[in-house]
Amino acid sequence: MFAVSRLHSDLDNGDGSVTYTLLGQGAGSIFTIDEITGDIHAIKSLDREEKSYYVLRAQAVDTETGRPVEPESEFIIKVQDINDNEPKFLDGPYVADVPEMSPA
């Protein structure tokens, strides 16, 4: 599990009267929110070759009434590309000669 972000309402006194919800691309399957703290986590590894970004919406909700206590917040999660595929040389082996003192 990877920490992604956090939502917090000034109206949250830590007494459980405010809960946090998450909607959008991958909410519940790739991303999850702790309903008590508002911490947003990725629960799966992300791969930029599959998807370069996700758009999530989170909201603080009054536990008793079910009504929002703050406007909805939008999170854009940009996935960084890492070199996770080893290089492959399909037509190898290759042979080359480079003379000494050759210009770069």
Side-chain angles (χ1 to χ4, degrees), residues 17-19 60-69:
S17 62
V18 174
T19 57
V61 176
D62 183 303
T63 305
E64 209 171 286
T65 66
R67 293 188 176 158
V69 295

Side-chain angles (χ1 to χ4, degrees), residues 18-39:
V18 174
T19 57
Y20 298 94
T21 61
L22 188 66
L23 299 169
Q25 303 166 339
S29 60
I30 299 172
F31 300 98
T32 186
I33 192 167
D34 184 307
E35 293 180 350
I36 305 297
T37 65
D39 291 339

Side-chain angles (χ1 to χ4, degrees), residues 8-64:
H8 182 76
S9 170
D10 290 339
L11 301 174
D12 186 352
N13 299 323
D15 59 1
S17 62
V18 174
T19 57
Y20 298 94
T21 61
L22 188 66
L23 299 169
Q25 303 166 339
S29 60
I30 299 172
F31 300 98
T32 186
I33 192 167
D34 184 307
E35 293 180 350
I36 305 297
T37 65
D39 291 339
I40 300 172
H41 293 94
I43 55 177
K44 291 184 178 179
S45 294
L46 306 176
D47 189 347
R48 190 163 194 269
E49 280 83 23
E50 292 177 18
K51 192 162 179 71
S52 61
Y53 70 95
Y54 296 83
V55 179
L56 299 170
R57 297 180 321 278
Q59 195 159 40
V61 176
D62 183 303
T63 305
E64 209 171 286

Side-chain angles (χ1 to χ4, degrees), residues 71-87:
E72 191 173 75
S73 296
E74 182 176 86
F75 293 86
I76 299 174
I77 312 299
K78 294 181 180 179
V79 182
Q80 293 182 340
D81 194 16
I82 60 169
N83 190 7
D84 56 348
N85 299 315
E86 63 185 42

